[in-house]
Amino acid sequence: MSGGFNLSPYFFNFNRDQSRLTMKIEFILNGEKVAIEAPEDAMLLWTLRERLNLTGTKYSCGISVCGACTVHLDGNAIRSCTTPVSAIVGREVTTIEGLSKNNEHPLQLAFQEEQVPQCGYCQSGQIMQAASLLKENPTPTDEQIIQYMDGNLCRCGTYTRILKAIKKVVREGQS
Amino acid sequence: MENSTKGISRRKFLATAGGATIMIGGFYLFPGCRQNVGKALDESEPIEKEVTVWVRLMSDGQVIIYTPAAEMGQGSMTSVPLILAEEMDADWSKVKILSSPVEAEIYGVGWYPGGAKNMTTAGSRTIRSYYQLMREAGGQIRRALLQHAAEKWEVDIQELTTQPGMVVHAASDRKMTFGEIADFGNFEKLPDMSEVVLKDRKDFRLIGKVMPRYDIPAKTDGSAIYGMDVQLPGMMYGFINRSPVHGAKPELTNEEEIMNMEGVKSIVKLDHGIGVVASSVEAGLKAKGKMQIKWSKALASSHNSDEDLSAYTPNGAQEENQEGNVESALKTSDKIHEAILTNKYVYHAQMEPLNAVVSVAPDKQSAELWIGSQAPDGAKAVVAETLGIDQKNVKANQLFLGGGFGRRSLSGYAAECAALAKSVDGPVKLIWTREDDVSYGAFRPQVKHFLKAGVDRNGRITAWEHTAVGPGGGLSSGGAGISHYDIPNIRFNRKDIDHGIRTKHWRAVGHGPNKYAVETFIDQLARNYNKDPFLYRREMMQGNERARKVLERAAEMSNWDPNPKDGKAMGMAFADRDAFSCGVAQISLDRASGVIRVHQYWCALDSGVVVQPDNAVAQVEGSVIMGISCALKEQIDFQGGQVAQSNYNQYPLLRMSEAPETIEVDFIDSDEAPDGLGEAGLPAVGGAIASAFAALTGKYLYDMPFTPERVLKVLKT
């Protein structure tokens, strides 16, 4: 399993669509400065996935109602499916691939220990959402966790385990 | 890649698989896996030996096991290899799991004796189908390893035992690792199955123990590769506008405009839609949005689901099954009770919309497919068919599935992708938008249930008749059976209505709707005669001890109380989707808003031997949550044959704030052969909630889902 951040093999050849109206976008991606060309109306989600080969961030609804595409923008959880690339210029984007070096963020470990993922498709978004919460508030109550996580859907029904895993991190952070 | 699969039978590969020349390659589910299977590249590389089609042994002790099943969240990627590793006595920490090649003749199983081999992962069949096969495959390899050690040490094989990853000769205190045996071993000829002794359950080291799932670490760092994640050099993007009304044929009226759009590579006219291939997602989506299409009329145009559902009658239904004589038993009964219940269409809503990648060779004579499919062999076949080439010239690569629930056993999306890829030079990734996935979904049918029970003076059911009316044919038949109850006269009738729409298996299939209807009615009968719904069911389960124990266990776990307490009430329902299961829901009701909240849920099951206990619990937790979602919220409507919903905002799923605070799951300890458990917990949920609602309000929820508007209406009656 490859953890951490790898440059796409197509990193310097991402601009498959030369003919379209594109803009140059510079931003910080998982701690590294990157510069890309993308259509100005391109969404961050597809740019991450199809131009930068960071496929851990998932497409599911495209309208900000499911949370599968959650990444951090300047440390806060956002939905990348409705965030145009023009909005990230000069800012810091963190994806699941950049959350930790070796799959070792306390939440990643807790999700493994509690055996949370089933199909796993929503889990990058769940973890990124939870990571943003714990950064904001390391000691949330159950109600605060649930409220914060409520925009992230999971069709496999792993909610009870997600909650357990987050509470475990909160508990261990306190001791 | 070459596949030589001719004439390999299950017996043969078990007996002599070393002789079969099957090249195993395939696209790996995890990046970074070794892809140069075959000979060691240099001396520092471990030697790799193919023992059978299922297992490769490395001289450094690693064991590669191929899994034939789709991994869509149900965990069989871990449990199938784990069964083999158990009998082989492999060291689980050294096991590496890879997806098997898509070769149904080798890796598939028939669903009934003599049935065609297939690789379809559906119907909670995987463990049932592969349990004995994997045990034998593992036992045979263990026997081969023992033979090799016996020959090497020149001792009687009877003096040898195995420990995880090694053969042990206790008399001389010697050990030989499987890696060492791989180094010198020759697996051309394997022991005959008559020599193979399988383990006793009490000696299991892996089966029945809490083992972490193999796929989970890759699902917490984004490295797991789903169909949607495939990236190939020069890849283009395909999108399709499909018939809004099933069966309508398209006519594109602005072809030139679309073709002239930036990034558009080709337009593909399909029977059911118009596809576009473009150089980027953005260009493809833009072209998709700009298409002007005239659609022909189709049968489905007249389907208005609500109106049609209310107009369904049982007249003319065909008898599918009868035990005893329902007609005469109804006549002699003390009283006849009747109820009519309905359930709406529901959508799979798997988190990963359908997608596939196909690359067609420049000469159009071969192709490669990357897909997350519940039926990769079927997907491979339709790609070949679409391209007009032989299946042996299609290589299929199975990837992780972002949910399946029955939707991904249809292969239409692979055929679509092949048609798009054929039109261009280079690979094409077909992406269904969420809106596509909803509006071109294939749904669990809506059903109207007409129930009739003849009851004696004590409230005991003597005759039972259930007539299910709606589209989808056999999809609505499963789960109508109630042979676990001691009811002497039972009849089930079906009336199939063709609305010209797509219907499909959905987790637990007919059991969901039928158990909801059956159990809600039984619950009502119990209450009509002032009986505790638990005791009422138990009285009727004297002839089926296995079922009765599950019922009793659920009552015990939940501390069953038929009386409401502090604004909360319990309800119970029983189901027999593969495993027996009994669910107890504890709910509260906001009478002002009509919102039902499930606070706690208990589920007892008997599914025989449980291979992976923690994963089994997770499957039941998940199916309970999916069941609550379905019972409280989910519905697809057709208006003029068009699906009224288009995304999660209009088709809401249960969210974390609506999930039960606790879900307790317990499996009855059993030596019986494993039965399916991935769907088993779901069908009781609707009935359990309706039962709790009745305990709380004295009223019945006859129409699922129990949305707040409907609940308010019921409260006013």
Side-chain angles (χ1 to χ4, degrees), chain B residues 57-63 85-95 142 145 161-168 175-182 199 205-206:
Chain B
L57 272 182
M58 315 269 287
S59 56
D60 65 0
Q62 278 203 78
V63 180
E86 174 71 72
E87 291 291 350
M88 180 182 160
D89 237 349
D91 176 351
W92 187 247
S93 69
K94 294 189 170 154
V95 169
R142 178 171 171 271
L145 294 163
T161 56
T162 53
Q163 281 175 12
M166 62 181 71
V167 177
V168 178
K175 285 174 180 175
M176 192 183 291
T177 65
F178 291 177
E180 289 171 65
I181 299 173
K199 288 183 181 178
R205 301 179 209 264
L206 302 172

Coordinates of all heavy atoms in Angstrom, one line a residue, chain B residues 57-63 85-95 142 145 161-168 175-182 199 205-206:
Chain B
L57 N 3.5 -19.6 -3.9 CA 4.4 -19.6 -2.8 C 5.7 -19.0 -3.2 O 6.2 -19.2 -4.2 CB 4.7 -21.1 -2.3 CG 3.8 -21.8 -1.4 CD1 4.3 -23.1 -1.0 CD2 3.6 -20.9 -0.1
M58 N 6.2 -18.1 -2.3 CA 7.5 -17.5 -2.5 C 8.5 -18.1 -1.6 O 8.2 -18.4 -0.4 CB 7.4 -16.0 -2.2 CG 6.1 -15.3 -2.8 SD 6.4 -14.7 -4.4 CE 7.4 -13.2 -4.0
S59 N 9.7 -18.1 -2.0 CA 10.8 -18.7 -1.2 C 11.0 -17.9 0.1 O 11.6 -18.4 1.0 CB 12.0 -18.9 -2.0 OG 12.4 -17.7 -2.5
D60 N 10.6 -16.7 0.1 CA 10.8 -15.9 1.3 C 9.6 -16.1 2.3 O 9.5 -15.4 3.3 CB 11.0 -14.4 1.0 CG 9.7 -13.8 0.4 OD1 8.7 -14.5 0.2 OD2 9.8 -12.6 0.0
G61 N 8.7 -17.0 2.0 CA 7.6 -17.3 2.9 C 6.3 -16.7 2.6 O 5.3 -17.0 3.1
Q62 N 6.3 -15.7 1.7 CA 5.1 -15.1 1.3 C 4.2 -16.0 0.6 O 4.6 -16.9 -0.2 CB 5.3 -13.9 0.4 CG 5.8 -12.6 1.1 CD 5.5 -11.4 0.3 OE1 4.3 -11.0 0.2 NE2 6.5 -10.8 -0.3
V63 N 2.9 -15.8 0.8 CA 1.9 -16.7 0.1 C 0.9 -15.7 -0.6 O 0.3 -14.9 0.0 CB 1.1 -17.5 1.2 CG1 0.0 -18.4 0.5 CG2 2.0 -18.3 2.0
A85 N -6.3 -20.2 3.5 CA -5.2 -20.2 4.4 C -5.3 -21.0 5.7 O -4.4 -21.6 6.2 CB -4.9 -18.7 4.8
E86 N -6.6 -21.1 6.1 CA -6.8 -21.9 7.3 C -6.4 -23.4 7.1 O -5.7 -24.0 7.9 CB -8.3 -21.8 7.7 CG -8.8 -22.8 8.8 CD -8.3 -22.3 10.1 OE1 -8.8 -21.3 10.6 OE2 -7.4 -22.9 10.7
E87 N -7.0 -23.9 6.0 CA -6.7 -25.3 5.8 C -5.3 -25.6 5.3 O -4.7 -26.6 5.5 CB -7.7 -25.9 4.7 CG -9.1 -26.0 5.2 CD -9.3 -27.1 6.3 OE1 -8.4 -27.9 6.5 OE2 -10.4 -27.1 6.9
M88 N -4.7 -24.6 4.7 CA -3.3 -24.7 4.3 C -2.3 -24.5 5.5 O -1.2 -24.9 5.4 CB -3.0 -23.6 3.2 CG -1.6 -23.6 2.7 SD -1.5 -22.2 1.5 CE 0.3 -22.0 1.5
D89 N -2.9 -23.9 6.5 CA -2.1 -23.5 7.7 C -1.0 -22.4 7.3 O 0.1 -22.5 7.8 CB -1.4 -24.7 8.4 CG -1.8 -24.7 9.8 OD1 -2.4 -23.8 10.3 OD2 -1.5 -25.8 10.5
A90 N -1.4 -21.5 6.5 CA -0.5 -20.4 6.1 C -0.4 -19.4 7.3 O -1.3 -19.3 8.1 CB -1.1 -19.7 4.9
D91 N 0.7 -18.8 7.3 CA 1.0 -17.7 8.2 C 0.3 -16.5 7.7 O 0.7 -15.9 6.7 CB 2.5 -17.5 8.4 CG 2.8 -16.3 9.3 OD1 1.9 -15.6 9.7 OD2 4.0 -16.1 9.6
W92 N -0.8 -16.1 8.3 CA -1.7 -15.0 7.7 C -0.9 -13.7 7.5 O -1.2 -13.0 6.6 CB -2.9 -14.8 8.6 CG -3.9 -13.9 8.1 CD1 -4.3 -12.7 8.5 CD2 -4.8 -14.1 6.9 NE1 -5.3 -12.1 7.7 CE2 -5.6 -12.9 6.7 CE3 -4.9 -15.1 5.9 CZ2 -6.5 -12.8 5.7 CZ3 -5.8 -15.0 4.9 CH2 -6.5 -13.8 4.8
S93 N 0.1 -13.5 8.4 CA 0.8 -12.2 8.2 C 1.6 -12.2 7.0 O 2.1 -11.2 6.5 CB 1.7 -12.0 9.4 OG 2.8 -12.9 9.4
K94 N 1.8 -13.4 6.4 CA 2.6 -13.4 5.1 C 1.7 -13.6 3.9 O 2.2 -13.9 2.8 CB 3.6 -14.5 5.2 CG 4.7 -14.2 6.3 CD 5.8 -15.2 6.3 CE 6.9 -14.6 7.2 NZ 7.7 -15.7 7.8
V95 N 0.4 -13.5 4.1 CA -0.5 -13.7 2.9 C -0.7 -12.4 2.2 O -0.9 -11.4 2.8 CB -1.8 -14.3 3.4 CG1 -2.9 -14.2 2.3 CG2 -1.7 -15.7 3.9
R142 N -1.7 -28.0 1.8 CA -1.1 -28.4 3.0 C -0.5 -29.8 2.9 O 0.6 -30.1 3.3 CB -2.1 -28.3 4.2 CG -1.5 -28.8 5.5 CD -2.5 -28.5 6.6 NE -2.1 -29.1 7.9 CZ -2.4 -30.3 8.3 NH1 -3.1 -31.1 7.5 NH2 -1.9 -30.8 9.4
L145 N 2.6 -29.8 0.9 CA 3.8 -29.3 1.7 C 4.3 -30.4 2.6 O 5.5 -30.6 2.8 CB 3.3 -28.0 2.4 CG 3.0 -26.8 1.5 CD1 2.2 -25.8 2.3 CD2 4.3 -26.2 0.9
T161 N 3.4 -32.5 11.4 CA 2.3 -31.6 11.6 C 2.6 -30.2 11.0 O 3.8 -30.0 10.6 CB 2.0 -31.4 13.1 OG1 3.1 -30.9 13.7 CG2 1.5 -32.7 13.8
T162 N 1.6 -29.4 10.9 CA 1.9 -28.0 10.5 C 1.6 -27.0 11.6 O 0.7 -27.2 12.4 CB 1.1 -27.6 9.2 OG1 -0.2 -27.8 9.5 CG2 1.6 -28.4 8.0
Q163 N 2.4 -25.9 11.6 CA 2.0 -24.7 12.3 C 2.0 -23.6 11.3 O 2.5 -23.8 10.2 CB 3.2 -24.4 13.3 CG 3.1 -25.3 14.6 CD 4.3 -25.1 15.5 OE1 5.0 -24.1 15.3 NE2 4.4 -26.0 16.5
P164 N 1.4 -22.5 11.7 CA 1.3 -21.5 10.6 C 2.6 -21.2 9.9 O 3.6 -20.8 10.5 CB 0.8 -20.2 11.4 CG 0.1 -20.8 12.5 CD 0.8 -22.1 12.9
G165 N 2.6 -21.5 8.6 CA 3.7 -21.2 7.7 C 4.9 -22.2 7.8 O 5.9 -22.0 7.2
M166 N 4.7 -23.3 8.5 CA 5.8 -24.3 8.6 C 5.3 -25.7 8.8 O 4.2 -25.9 9.4 CB 6.8 -23.9 9.6 CG 6.3 -23.8 11.0 SD 7.6 -23.3 12.2 CE 7.7 -21.6 11.7
V167 N 6.2 -26.7 8.4 CA 5.9 -28.1 8.7 C 6.9 -28.4 9.9 O 8.0 -28.0 10.0 CB 6.3 -29.0 7.5 CG1 6.1 -30.4 7.8 CG2 5.4 -28.6 6.3
V168 N 6.3 -29.2 10.8 CA 7.1 -29.5 12.0 C 7.2 -31.0 12.2 O 6.2 -31.8 12.0 CB 6.3 -29.0 13.3 CG1 7.0 -29.3 14.6 CG2 6.1 -27.5 13.2
K175 N 12.0 -28.0 12.0 CA 11.0 -27.2 11.3 C 11.4 -26.8 9.9 O 12.6 -26.6 9.7 CB 10.7 -25.9 12.1 CG 10.0 -26.2 13.4 CD 9.9 -24.9 14.3 CE 9.1 -25.2 15.5 NZ 9.1 -24.1 16.5
M176 N 10.4 -26.8 9.0 CA 10.7 -26.3 7.7 C 9.7 -25.4 7.3 O 8.5 -25.7 7.3 CB 10.7 -27.6 6.7 CG 11.3 -27.3 5.4 SD 11.2 -28.8 4.3 CE 12.3 -29.9 5.0
T177 N 10.1 -24.1 6.9 CA 9.1 -23.1 6.5 C 8.5 -23.4 5.1 O 9.2 -24.1 4.3 CB 9.6 -21.7 6.5 OG1 10.6 -21.6 5.5 CG2 10.3 -21.4 7.8
F178 N 7.3 -22.9 4.9 CA 6.7 -23.1 3.6 C 7.6 -22.4 2.5 O 7.7 -22.8 1.4 CB 5.3 -22.4 3.5 CG 4.3 -23.2 4.3 CD1 3.0 -22.7 4.4 CD2 4.6 -24.4 5.0 CE1 2.0 -23.4 5.2 CE2 3.6 -25.1 5.7 CZ 2.3 -24.5 5.8
G179 N 8.3 -21.3 2.9 CA 9.2 -20.7 2.0 C 10.4 -21.6 1.6 O 10.7 -21.7 0.4
E180 N 10.9 -22.3 2.5 CA 12.0 -23.3 2.2 C 11.4 -24.4 1.3 O 12.1 -24.8 0.3 CB 12.5 -24.0 3.5 CG 13.3 -23.0 4.4 CD 13.6 -23.7 5.7 OE1 14.3 -24.7 5.8 OE2 13.1 -23.2 6.8
I181 N 10.2 -24.8 1.5 CA 9.6 -25.8 0.6 C 9.4 -25.3 -0.8 O 9.7 -25.9 -1.8 CB 8.3 -26.4 1.2 CG1 8.6 -27.0 2.6 CG2 7.7 -27.4 0.3 CD1 7.4 -27.5 3.3
A182 N 9.0 -24.0 -0.8 CA 8.8 -23.4 -2.1 C 10.1 -23.3 -2.9 O 10.1 -23.5 -4.2 CB 8.3 -21.9 -1.9
K199 N -9.5 -29.9 8.5 CA -9.4 -29.6 10.0 C -10.8 -29.8 10.7 O -11.8 -29.5 10.1 CB -8.9 -28.2 10.3 CG -7.4 -27.9 10.0 CD -7.1 -26.5 10.4 CE -5.7 -26.2 10.1 NZ -5.4 -24.8 10.4
R205 N -7.5 -21.8 13.4 CA -6.7 -20.7 13.9 C -7.2 -19.4 13.3 O -6.9 -18.3 13.9 CB -5.3 -20.9 13.5 CG -4.6 -22.1 13.9 CD -3.2 -22.1 13.4 NE -2.6 -23.4 13.1 CZ -1.9 -24.1 14.0 NH1 -1.6 -23.6 15.2 NH2 -1.4 -25.3 13.7
L206 N -7.8 -19.4 12.2 CA -8.2 -18.2 11.5 C -9.8 -18.0 11.4 O -10.3 -17.0 11.7 CB -7.6 -18.1 10.1 CG -6.1 -18.2 10.0 CD1 -5.7 -18.4 8.5 CD2 -5.5 -17.0 10.6

